[in-house]
Amino acid sequence: MSDSTPWYKHRWPWILMAGPSIVIVAGFITAWLAIVSNDGLVDDNYYKVGLSVNQQLKQKQLAAELNLKAALSVADNGQSVQLILSGLPKEALPDNLQLRLVHPTRKGEDQTINLIRTGTLFKGPLTANPGTGRWNVVIEDPLAGWRMDGVWNIKSKEGVTIFARPQ
Protein backbone atom coordinates (compact mmCIF):
# COMPACT_ATOMS: atom_id res chain seq x y z
CA MET A 1 0.00 0.00 0.00
CA SER A 2 1.47 3.21 -1.04
CA ASP A 3 0.05 6.61 -0.39
CA SER A 4 0.05 8.70 -3.54
CA THR A 5 -1.02 12.01 -2.04
CA PRO A 6 1.49 14.87 -2.40
CA TRP A 7 3.68 15.77 0.59
CA TYR A 8 2.05 19.15 1.21
CA LYS A 9 -1.27 17.50 1.94
CA HIS A 10 0.20 15.66 4.90
CA ARG A 11 0.24 17.13 8.38
CA TRP A 12 3.76 16.12 9.56
CA PRO A 13 5.88 18.14 7.10
CA TRP A 14 4.03 21.29 8.14
CA ILE A 15 4.46 20.54 11.82
CA LEU A 16 8.19 19.92 11.32
CA MET A 17 8.61 23.17 9.33
CA ALA A 18 6.66 25.27 11.86
CA GLY A 19 9.47 25.35 14.46
CA PRO A 20 12.23 26.70 12.21
CA SER A 21 9.76 29.12 10.58
CA ILE A 22 8.81 30.58 13.97
CA VAL A 23 12.49 30.96 14.86
CA ILE A 24 13.18 32.84 11.62
CA VAL A 25 10.26 35.24 12.21
CA ALA A 26 11.36 35.79 15.83
CA GLY A 27 14.90 36.53 14.58
CA PHE A 28 13.59 39.23 12.24
CA ILE A 29 11.49 40.75 15.04
CA THR A 30 14.50 40.76 17.38
CA ALA A 31 16.68 42.41 14.72
CA TRP A 32 14.00 45.06 14.13
CA LEU A 33 13.75 45.79 17.87
CA ALA A 34 17.53 46.09 18.15
CA ILE A 35 17.66 48.56 15.27
CA VAL A 36 14.78 50.86 16.26
CA SER A 37 15.36 51.01 20.04
CA ASN A 38 18.16 52.88 21.74
CA ASP A 39 19.13 51.16 24.97
CA GLY A 40 21.45 53.98 26.01
CA LEU A 41 23.26 51.81 28.52
CA VAL A 42 26.75 52.86 27.52
CA ASP A 43 27.73 56.50 27.88
CA ASP A 44 29.40 57.82 24.75
CA ASN A 45 31.87 59.83 26.80
CA TYR A 46 32.71 57.25 29.46
CA TYR A 47 36.26 58.50 29.99
CA LYS A 48 35.12 62.02 30.83
CA VAL A 49 32.41 60.63 33.12
CA GLY A 50 35.02 58.55 34.93
CA LEU A 51 37.20 61.60 35.53
CA SER A 52 34.28 63.51 37.07
CA VAL A 53 33.70 60.94 39.83
CA ASN A 54 36.05 62.67 42.30
CA GLN A 55 34.34 66.00 41.70
CA GLN A 56 30.94 64.41 42.36
CA LEU A 57 32.22 62.93 45.61
CA LYS A 58 33.37 66.38 46.77
CA GLN A 59 29.97 67.85 45.87
CA LYS A 60 28.18 65.12 47.86
CA GLN A 61 30.52 65.70 50.81
CA LEU A 62 29.68 69.43 50.77
CA ALA A 63 25.94 68.66 50.80
CA ALA A 64 26.44 66.29 53.74
CA GLU A 65 28.42 68.95 55.65
CA LEU A 66 25.55 71.39 55.08
CA ASN A 67 23.13 68.69 56.36
CA LEU A 68 20.80 69.20 53.40
CA LYS A 69 17.48 67.45 52.96
CA ALA A 70 15.12 67.72 49.97
CA ALA A 71 11.45 66.77 49.81
CA LEU A 72 10.48 66.13 46.20
CA SER A 73 7.00 65.56 44.79
CA VAL A 74 4.95 65.80 41.59
CA ALA A 75 2.51 68.73 41.43
CA ASP A 76 -0.15 70.16 39.12
CA ASN A 77 -1.52 66.77 38.06
CA GLY A 78 1.86 65.54 36.87
CA GLN A 79 2.76 68.72 34.99
CA SER A 80 5.49 69.95 37.33
CA VAL A 81 7.85 68.97 40.13
CA GLN A 82 8.21 70.78 43.42
CA LEU A 83 11.01 70.59 45.94
CA ILE A 84 11.38 71.85 49.49
CA LEU A 85 15.01 72.21 50.55
CA SER A 86 15.94 72.27 54.23
CA GLY A 87 19.27 72.66 55.95
CA LEU A 88 20.09 76.14 54.66
CA PRO A 89 18.89 79.42 56.14
CA LYS A 90 16.18 81.10 54.06
CA GLU A 91 18.52 83.90 52.95
CA ALA A 92 21.12 81.35 51.78
CA LEU A 93 18.72 79.46 49.50
CA PRO A 94 19.76 79.61 45.85
CA ASP A 95 17.48 81.11 43.20
CA ASN A 96 17.74 78.05 40.95
CA LEU A 97 18.43 74.36 41.37
CA GLN A 98 19.00 71.74 38.75
CA LEU A 99 17.02 68.51 39.02
CA ARG A 100 17.83 65.52 36.85
CA LEU A 101 15.52 62.53 36.58
CA VAL A 102 17.67 59.70 35.26
CA HIS A 103 16.06 56.47 34.09
CA PRO A 104 18.16 53.46 35.13
CA THR A 105 18.10 51.82 31.68
CA ARG A 106 16.66 54.24 29.11
CA LYS A 107 18.88 57.25 28.59
CA GLY A 108 16.44 58.76 26.09
CA GLU A 109 13.88 59.31 28.86
CA ASP A 110 16.20 61.33 31.13
CA GLN A 111 15.04 64.84 32.02
CA THR A 112 16.87 67.92 33.27
CA ILE A 113 14.59 70.40 35.02
CA ASN A 114 15.52 73.91 36.13
CA LEU A 115 13.78 74.53 39.46
CA ILE A 116 13.03 78.17 40.29
CA ARG A 117 12.59 79.34 43.88
CA THR A 118 9.43 81.03 45.08
CA GLY A 119 9.74 81.56 48.83
CA THR A 120 11.03 78.29 50.25
CA LEU A 121 9.56 76.17 47.44
CA PHE A 122 11.38 75.27 44.23
CA LYS A 123 9.23 74.41 41.23
CA GLY A 124 9.82 73.47 37.60
CA PRO A 125 7.86 71.96 34.68
CA LEU A 126 8.19 68.35 33.64
CA THR A 127 9.17 68.16 29.98
CA ALA A 128 7.53 64.73 29.66
CA ASN A 129 5.50 62.52 31.95
CA PRO A 130 8.03 60.20 33.64
CA GLY A 131 5.40 57.51 33.96
CA THR A 132 5.95 55.07 36.77
CA GLY A 133 8.84 53.10 38.13
CA ARG A 134 12.17 53.79 39.79
CA TRP A 135 14.13 56.88 38.77
CA ASN A 136 17.51 58.10 39.95
CA VAL A 137 17.24 61.70 41.15
CA VAL A 138 20.13 64.18 41.16
CA ILE A 139 19.71 67.62 42.75
CA GLU A 140 22.50 70.15 42.21
CA ASP A 141 23.29 73.75 42.93
CA PRO A 142 25.82 74.62 40.24
CA LEU A 143 26.81 77.90 41.92
CA ALA A 144 27.36 76.61 45.46
CA GLY A 145 28.82 73.31 44.23
CA TRP A 146 26.81 70.78 46.23
CA ARG A 147 24.95 67.73 44.97
CA MET A 148 22.51 65.15 46.35
CA ASP A 149 21.18 62.00 44.78
CA GLY A 150 18.69 59.31 45.58
CA VAL A 151 16.07 56.98 44.15
CA TRP A 152 12.43 57.89 43.60
CA ASN A 153 9.75 55.27 43.00
CA ILE A 154 7.27 57.36 41.05
CA LYS A 155 4.88 54.39 40.91
CA SER A 156 3.96 55.01 44.54
CA LYS A 157 2.50 58.45 43.58
CA GLU A 158 4.12 59.84 46.71
CA GLY A 159 7.00 62.19 47.11
CA VAL A 160 10.45 61.25 48.25
CA THR A 161 12.82 62.74 50.80
CA ILE A 162 16.47 62.77 49.80
CA PHE A 163 19.13 63.13 52.47
CA ALA A 164 22.67 64.28 51.75
CA ARG A 165 25.03 61.48 52.67
CA PRO A 166 28.80 61.51 52.40
CA GLN A 167 30.22 58.89 50.08
Side-chain angles (χ1 to χ4, degrees):
M1 293 200 351
S2 81
D3 190 8
S4 62
T5 58
W7 69 270
Y8 54 85
K9 290 190 177 183
H10 291 279
R11 176 181 348 162
W12 287 109
W14 293 107
I15 291 173
L16 292 174
M17 287 187 289
S21 300
I22 291 170
V23 170
I24 290 170
V25 171
F28 280 115
I29 291 172
T30 303
W32 177 76
L33 287 173
I35 291 168
V36 300
S37 66
N38 177 16
D39 56 4
L41 293 177
V42 178
D43 195 346
D44 294 338
N45 204 357
Y46 59 89
Y47 183 73
K48 194 175 199 180
V49 170
L51 291 176
S52 68
V53 169
N54 288 336
Q55 180 182 1
Q56 291 176 6
L57 291 174
K58 289 177 185 176
Q59 291 172 334
K60 290 179 183 181
Q61 181 65 36
L62 178 59
E65 289 171 4
L66 294 170
N67 200 22
L68 296 179
K69 179 173 79 169
L72 184 65
S73 61
V74 175
D76 302 328
N77 293 327
Q79 299 297 315
S80 64
V81 175
Q82 66 182 21
L83 181 137
I84 299 172
L85 183 67
S86 59
L88 291 175
K90 187 175 180 180
E91 53 277 353
L93 288 174
D95 292 330
N96 295 323
L97 289 177
Q98 186 179 45
L99 170 72
R100 287 189 293 140
L101 295 176
V102 181
H103 195 277
T105 59
R106 297 186 193 120
K107 187 175 183 178
E109 294 186 17
D110 294 355
Q111 295 184 41
T112 300
I113 304 164
N114 187 26
L115 300 175
I116 300 170
R117 180 172 63 100
T118 54
T120 58
L121 180 72
F122 292 86
K123 197 170 187 180
L126 282 171
T127 55
N129 186 355
T132 60
R134 293 173 48 107
W135 288 78
N136 296 323
V137 178
V138 178
I139 305 166
E140 293 178 304
D141 182 0
L143 297 177
W146 56 262
R147 166 191 177 113
M148 294 189 301
D149 57 9
V151 176
W152 186 11
N153 189 357
I154 298 178
K155 186 177 186 177
S156 68
K157 301 288 185 194
E158 296 177 8
V160 65
T161 302
I162 298 173
F163 298 93
R165 298 176 308 256
Q167 295 293 328

